[in-house]
């Protein structure tokens, strides 16, 4: 596969329903990928993740390796939610009083 083929695969993954919103804040149309978590994130959240030294790449501006594309295929926002938010209860945990 070439770099253009990898880009095409990432665009297809980006169009999946669960990847159409930022993993972190829910903003529509994320344009970045966090390769540490294999998630799709928005511009604002990509900056915050970078501040914490996570690896973030712009979908339209970056080249991706075969390994990164394969990891994104196995990952994505839906899988990340199952792993990282499995025990989070918005009703109870959202109220920190």
């Amino acid at each position: 596969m070439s770099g253009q083929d990898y880009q095409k695969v990432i665009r297809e993954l980006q169009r999946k329903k669960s990847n159409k919103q930022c993993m972190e804040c829910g903003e529509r149309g994320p344009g970045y990928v966090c390769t540490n978590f294999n998630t799709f994130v928005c511009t604002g959240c990509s900056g915050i993740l970078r501040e914490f030294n996570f690896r973030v790449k712009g979908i339209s501006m970056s080249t991706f390796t075969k390994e990164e594309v394969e990891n994104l295929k196995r990952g994505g926002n839906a899988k990340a939610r199952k792993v990282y938010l499995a025990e989070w209860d918005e009703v109870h945990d959202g109220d920190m009083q």
Side-chain angles (χ1 to χ4, degrees), residues 7-34 37-43 57 59 68-82 84:
Q7 191 76 351
K8 184 178 177 182
V9 170
I10 290 170
R11 291 277 185 203
E12 288 171 6
L13 293 170
Q14 186 183 27
R15 285 191 282 274
K16 284 186 167 184
K17 184 178 179 180
S18 62
N19 297 333
K20 286 185 176 184
Q21 291 183 307
C22 175
M23 171 62 194
E24 304 297 329
C25 72
E27 183 176 316
R28 290 174 46 99
Y32 295 82
V33 168
C34 178
F37 302 116
N38 301 308
T39 56
F40 291 82
V41 296
C42 70
T43 303
K57 292 178 127 182
I59 293 171
E68 289 170 334
V69 173
E70 292 301 320
N71 288 339
L72 278 170
K73 284 181 181 178
R74 288 189 296 271
N77 293 358
K79 176 130 187 193
R81 281 186 186 90
K82 288 179 185 175
Y84 300 113

Side-chain angles (χ1 to χ4, degrees), residues 35-97:
T35 58
N36 299 88
F37 302 116
N38 301 308
T39 56
F40 291 82
V41 296
C42 70
T43 303
C45 292
S46 72
I48 294 168
L49 288 166
R50 283 185 178 120
E51 287 181 27
F52 288 98
N53 293 318
F54 291 110
R55 180 99 192 256
V56 178
K57 292 178 127 182
I59 293 171
S60 62
M61 302 170 279
S62 302
T63 56
F64 291 86
T65 65
K66 179 180 180 179
E67 181 181 6
E68 289 170 334
V69 173
E70 292 301 320
N71 288 339
L72 278 170
K73 284 181 181 178
R74 288 189 296 271
N77 293 358
K79 176 130 187 193
R81 281 186 186 90
K82 288 179 185 175
V83 172
Y84 300 113
L85 301 177
E87 296 186 28
W88 184 62
D89 180 357
E90 185 175 7
V91 174
H92 295 100
D93 294 340
D95 184 16
M96 302 297 275
Q97 293 181 11

